Amino acid sequence: MKTTLSVIKADVGGFPGHSDVHPKLIEEAKKHLQKAVNDKLLIDFHVTHCGDDLELIMTHTKGENCKEIHKLSWDTFVACTKIAKELKLYGAGQDLLKDTFSGNVKGAGPGVAEMEFEERKSDPVVVFMADKTEPGAWNRALYEMFADPFNTAGLVIDPEMHDGFIFEMHDVIEHKKIEFKMPEEAYSMLAFIGTPGRYVIKSVRRKSDREIGAVASTQRLSLIAGKYVGKDDPVLIVRCQHGLPALGEVLNPFAFPYLVAGWMRGSHNGPLMPCAVKDATPARFDGPPRVIGIGFQIANGKLIGPRDLLADISFDLARQKANEIADYMKRHGPFEPHRLPMEDLEYTTMPHLMEKFKARMKPLTEKD
Ligand code: F6R
Ligand code: MG
Ligand code: MG
């Protein structure tokens, strides 16, 4: 029997502003997913939130891109939107970009990461969720987990990992994909994924047998909608241990609060702060961006857990560092590199200003 782990998320209303999810939405989502367990569509589920994003973590045997599972998620988000509207929560239904469900939630607003696998004797997984940033925010962490021996000792000393991994990368602007082999094509891949707004790692497989190691959501709302409709706030599933990076190797990249795009108005660079689920409530300047990581053992499709992994005290220094970096970056105000470069701004007054000052903009002459 193959198990599918589906993580599907959407921001269907924040409380207050864009900081958190109202408990009533979590309650409603649980009710829907429990019914799906009773109806034998799901094996198990866990509902949580990261900032203003409602996160549905589900197990079943129906494979990836299953219409019934996607419809269940869509209907759950629609039901939660109804409550969000009653409570006048902020941005109620903001990630549901289509009026009706058309077979798959991809391209309709929600973020999706799904992974189907044959359960090993023991299968630890971590579900990472982020708020106030974009899917490319996982690029650096995934590279470290699966390709950097300074992070992952197993790449050097575990014979099962020694051959390396295959990374699938998406160009989310041109809608193209490519596979890179690690470690031999590391320099080439880094040249792309260092531009995380465009080149996004979708999945990682072990080279020797193509066993799946990680899958990320790559939906970019603004590219779907063609205008600013909120940040993409991505999710990531990583399988651990026994020929894949150990749990601690999977968590270690988040001990460095590297800069990501997002934060206030999706238009600022800020540190990615690892935190406990209870602290995933972006506040200062709608941030700084947060990442949570919860761990499960998968047992015949049952989710044994969760354990709140980034709550651990070993991430205390990273949190402090993130606050220091947030302070430093914020003081740049409207200046780059705190504010994103003009082409990356999610919403901008520039076209309006260009128009307004067009007549006053004179060509430079030799005397200038
Ligand atoms: C970022 C985000 C928030 C909002 C900001 C302004 O992803 O969602 O930072 O962009 O609070 O929101 P509006 O324009 O709705 O007032
Ligand atoms: Mg929001
Ligand atoms: Mg969000």
Side-chain angles (χ1 to χ4, degrees), residues 11 13-14 17-19 52-53 90-91 94-95 131-132 230 233:
D11 174 352
H18 292 280
S19 66
D52 55 5
D53 291 278
Y90 199 69
Q94 75 163 48
D95 283 2
D131 189 36
K132 305 296 181 269
D233 305 335

Side-chain angles (χ1 to χ4, degrees), residues 74-85:
W74 182 264
D75 291 346
T76 303
F77 292 136
V78 168
C80 290
T81 298
K82 191 166 170 277
I83 295 175
K85 285 190 172 154

